Amino acid sequence: MKYNKYLNSEGKLYRKENTVYFMDTKGKKTPIPVEKIYALYCYKEVSFTSSVVILLAKYNIPIHYFGRYGNYVGTFYPKGENYSGKVIVQQSENYLNSDKRHYIAKEFVKGSILNISKNLSRYKLDYDKEKYITALQKVNRITDIMNVEALMRNDYYNNFDNIFKNFKYEKRSRRPPENEINALISFGNSLLYSTVISEIFNTHLNPSVSYLHEPYERRYSLALDIADVFKPIFVDRLIFNLVNKKIINENHFEKDLNSCLLNDEGRAIFLSKYNERLQKTIKHRKLNRNVSYQRLLRLECYKLEKHIMGIEQYEPFVIWW
Amino acid sequence: MKKTNIDFEKELNKLNVRGIEINYYFICKTKLFLFMNNMGLEKNHENVELGKLLHETSYRSNKDKEVIINKIAIDFIKKNKKEDFIEIHEVKKSDKMELADYYQILYYIYYLKKLGIESKGVINYPNQNKKKEITLNDENIKNLIPVIQEIEKIRNSNLIIPPKKKKYCKKCAYYEFCFS
Ligand code: SF4
């Protein structure tokens, strides 16, 4: 099994024969067996040499970079996309045709609604998912679809103070996050976004042609679309766990007058628990085979690719356990 | 050599089908469809320039090396010096896909014949210690032609071929794509 490598301290990557090493500022060297790596995630300043790049390219390993807030900065993707002219044409056609675009956009929102509702039901909290699904059926403009999304997400977040035992959520604050829960959400969302990018690049989909978000919103706006469906499962559930089990506590944050961020230790915990989650496997009903959580993201991309190619209609992933 | 090169190219323009496409046609049309639309999940062969290759490979006999001639990729070739024809060899793990493999190599022979090269085919099954020889004749050409035409038709239409579950799907590189 390949795994993700999270680099959480400053240092450099260099190559010795066919192994990549990470050397931190204290001179501590860690070998990174390149054939086992799926993707690299850098949270601190990490430099690399061109011979490292050549090796990473050979194994098709992307490097994701994050800023000080855990915000996504960019991906160095050594080989770029798997090009299929037909897929790109179909992907664009599905964007330009507003009926087709709305179908996909609504399915993404529907996926969020259903996964969110599953999350809340675990805490025996009421959530009127039907209300939002009906509202979704009625609208036929992207801005209105977005509005339904925003309303239902607000409704969801408003329940957070009933879920979290040790921290207050209050309200969503982003740049910068103002309290612990917001810091965790922002951090997790960027992380998931980059994980989705890795998966999209393994398909023939073009990551900048998106349906719910506007293609010009971000370079890889399709990853935003897909990540939305999975946030409740990959990020929110993880945070509920980390906080309520006190795996993450107030010692894991750096607080300022108006900002709150994970510190080094907090980040390390989050990353390792997130990774555990990605590697966790479930028996996939349709495939009748065990797949990891991370693989679910790839399968979602396949489903979308099949949809735009007219092979099979897309329906979002909804957690069944 | 110059003149023949031009003739080759003319001929090749008429034969646009790749060996692997013949194979997929018999295994699974969805696989063929995905492959044709560059939606492959396996790494493809690079096409290498015809003239150079024919020159280099045809005369460098019996090397265990893949020979790529424009649209086709042969596992390895041998030259039968006595009778002056070449043997084209394919190595297969098992004879499970016998029909597909048979037509693939038949196509290679046909392809080379169009280039003016006489050849015979051999499918090697090292695991089963088995070999199968294939020669081109009027009858199998008659069966091969419609396959080639059918593949061209699939390529030129917007026909979508949705997956259907088969015994060997679970081992196919496209399995997760098809059934997710
Ligand atoms: S998984 Fe089955 S249906 Fe899909 S391409 Fe492979 S053989 Fe064909």
Side-chain angles (χ1 to χ4, degrees):
Chain A
M1 248 297 265
K2 292 192 176 201
Y3 58 88
N4 296 308
K5 180 88 188 162
Y6 303 93
L7 299 172
N8 197 17
S9 47
E10 221 173 284
K12 64 179 179 193
L13 292 166
Y14 66 96
R15 174 179 172 180
K16 219 164 137 192
E17 273 141 26
N18 279 325
T19 309
V20 171
Y21 286 84
F22 177 72
M23 186 161 79
D24 67 14
T25 44
K26 290 184 201 106
K28 192 178 149 237
K29 297 171 194 165
T30 325
I32 304 177
V34 76
E35 68 284 354
K36 292 254 173 68
I37 297 294
Y38 196 76
L40 290 167
Y41 292 74
C42 301
Y43 279 89
K44 286 286 173 73
E45 210 166 288
V46 172
S47 59
F48 51 80
T49 62
S50 54
S51 59
V52 167
V53 171
I54 291 165
L55 197 61
L56 295 179
K58 194 170 153 205
Y59 289 90
N60 216 14
I61 303 167
I63 314 181
H64 302 295
Y65 274 91
F66 299 85
R68 198 173 103 70
Y69 307 110
N71 49 309
Y72 175 79
V73 173
T75 300
F76 170 72
Y77 208 93
K79 270 196 185 150
E81 72 266 48
N82 297 315
Y83 183 79
S84 163
K86 200 122 168 192
V87 172
I88 294 180
V89 168
Q90 287 299 107
Q91 217 187 320
S92 310
E93 208 268 327
N94 274 269
Y95 169 79
L96 292 169
N97 178 319
S98 55
D99 284 346
K100 290 186 180 174
R101 179 179 177 190
H102 294 161
Y103 174 81
I104 301 173
K106 284 179 185 183
E107 287 301 301
F108 286 144
V109 177
K110 194 173 101 194
S112 307
I113 297 172
L114 294 175
N115 285 319
I116 277 173
S117 150
K118 283 268 187 184
N119 272 5
L120 290 175
S121 71
R122 289 182 131 201
Y123 293 89
K124 311 228 166 3
L125 295 165
D126 279 340
Y127 192 68
D128 193 355
K129 62 176 186 220
E130 292 307 328
K131 181 172 94 190
Y132 296 113
I133 289 177
T134 318
L136 209 52
Q137 282 158 356
K138 284 193 191 131
V139 295
N140 40 36
R141 283 191 319 192
I142 286 294
T143 46
D144 295 335
I145 297 172
M146 282 286 214
N147 279 339
V148 174
E149 209 258 0
L151 282 174
M152 74 91 191
R153 210 170 273 275
N154 254 338
D155 190 359
Y156 172 52
Y157 285 142
N158 284 339
N159 277 294
F160 273 22
D161 279 323
N162 298 320
I163 295 176
F164 289 111
K165 293 181 197 142
N166 313 309
F167 290 124
K168 280 234 165 310
Y169 165 72
E170 287 161 351
K171 65 174 195 328
R172 187 78 180 105
S173 53
R174 275 166 238 256
R175 261 157 265 184
E178 285 162 17
N179 61 27
E180 292 85 351
I181 300 298
N182 275 292
L184 292 168
I185 296 173
S186 294
F187 185 84
N189 286 351
S190 313
L191 184 54
L192 175 60
Y193 172 69
S194 59
T195 312
V196 175
I197 290 170
S198 306
E199 296 306 325
I200 295 178
F201 269 111
N202 278 300
T203 70
H204 312 88
L205 293 166
N206 186 307
S208 25
V209 180
S210 54
Y211 301 96
L212 179 59
H213 298 82
E214 285 299 338
Y216 35 79
E217 208 163 311
R218 280 218 226 153
R219 180 126 169 72
Y220 301 129
S221 45
L222 184 62
L224 291 176
D225 282 5
I226 295 173
D228 267 1
V229 176
F230 290 89
K231 275 178 195 167
I233 304 153
F234 283 49
V235 180
D236 303 343
R237 278 195 187 191
L238 175 66
I239 299 173
F240 299 160
N241 237 306
L242 292 175
V243 171
N244 286 351
K245 292 202 174 134
K246 296 194 176 152
I247 301 165
I248 285 211
N249 57 47
E250 54 273 33
N251 298 330
H252 296 123
F253 293 91
E254 250 167 53
K255 276 183 142 182
D256 235 319
L257 263 184
N258 53 6
S259 82
C260 178
L261 299 172
L262 276 167
N263 62 20
D264 286 1
E265 199 193 338
R267 197 165 47 236
I269 294 171
F270 194 108
L271 290 171
S272 103
K273 294 291 176 189
Y274 174 79
N275 196 44
E276 260 173 38
R277 188 157 279 249
L278 286 187
Q279 304 218 337
K280 208 158 100 179
T281 58
I282 51 128
K283 180 100 171 185
H284 194 280
R285 284 168 164 181
K286 250 177 110 186
L287 293 176
N288 195 25
R289 117 179 351 170
N290 283 335
V291 296
S292 66
Y293 273 47
Q294 172 148 342
R295 198 68 180 174
L296 291 172
L297 302 174
R298 173 83 66 89
L299 300 183
E300 203 68 4
C301 298
Y302 287 159
K303 278 157 58 187
L304 187 63
E305 192 173 332
K306 283 196 284 185
H307 176 87
I308 60 139
M309 290 299 288
I311 299 171
E312 197 183 334
Q313 207 169 41
Y314 172 73
E315 274 178 36
F317 172 81
V318 178
I319 196 165
W320 61 76
W321 61 93
Chain B
M1 195 68 199
K2 260 245 153 69
K3 188 182 168 293
T4 17
N5 255 339
I6 294 162
D7 287 343
F8 284 162
E9 269 159 36
K10 247 200 216 153
E11 280 302 322
L12 287 168
N13 283 339
K14 287 185 220 150
L15 270 187
N16 216 5
V17 171
R18 297 165 70 169
I20 197 165
E21 291 171 346
I22 302 269
N23 197 290
Y24 286 179
Y25 177 86
F26 287 96
I27 294 178
C28 171
K29 305 240 177 6
T30 304
K31 196 166 174 167
L32 175 66
F33 165 82
L34 295 172
F35 182 82
M36 278 183 162
N37 286 305
N38 274 331
M39 292 166 71
L41 298 168
E42 303 142 325
K43 294 281 160 253
N44 305 345
H45 296 297
E46 295 290 331
N47 284 352
V48 186
E49 243 176 82
L50 164 74
K52 191 171 131 223
L53 257 152
L54 259 187
H55 190 72
E56 272 181 18
T57 50
S58 313
Y59 305 104
R60 196 215 284 157
S61 51
N62 201 13
K63 284 252 163 86
D64 268 15
K65 218 177 150 197
E66 193 176 49
V67 181
I68 302 169
I69 305 166
N70 199 23
K71 297 283 171 194
I72 63 174
I74 301 168
D75 282 353
F76 67 92
I77 62 175
K78 275 186 191 171
K79 187 152 179 146
N80 188 319
K81 286 207 181 84
K82 268 193 282 173
E83 293 172 48
D84 198 34
F85 63 85
I86 64 168
E87 274 176 31
I88 56 183
H89 285 257
E90 282 288 299
V91 184
K92 299 286 176 186
K93 280 199 209 91
S94 80
D95 56 8
K96 274 203 196 107
M97 302 295 175
E98 215 162 4
L99 193 65
D101 297 339
Y102 168 80
Y103 271 97
Q104 185 177 0
I105 207 153
L106 195 64
Y107 178 69
Y108 290 165
I109 305 171
Y110 177 74
Y111 195 97
L112 291 178
K113 193 179 168 63
K114 284 228 157 196
L115 302 178
I117 301 167
E118 290 299 324
S119 67
K120 281 185 183 169
V122 184
I123 310 181
N124 301 276
Y125 302 103
N127 293 343
Q128 283 145 295
N129 225 335
K130 204 169 106 177
K131 271 187 186 179
K132 199 172 147 184
E133 291 193 9
I134 296 156
T135 46
L136 200 66
N137 56 42
D138 287 349
E139 201 185 323
N140 55 26
I141 289 182
K142 228 170 41 205
N143 294 334
L144 177 66
I145 303 279
V147 172
I148 297 171
Q149 287 168 340
E150 191 69 23
I151 292 172
E152 279 306 340
K153 227 161 76 196
I154 296 174
R155 191 194 318 283
N156 297 323
S157 73
N158 274 324
L159 190 69
I160 289 146
I161 306 166
K164 272 202 212 95
K165 220 170 223 165
K166 291 173 263 305
K167 274 204 306 288
Y168 41 82
C169 285
K170 277 213 154 188
K171 286 200 184 128
C172 174
Y174 298 79
Y175 178 72
E176 288 189 329
F177 181 89
C178 287
F179 300 106
S180 56

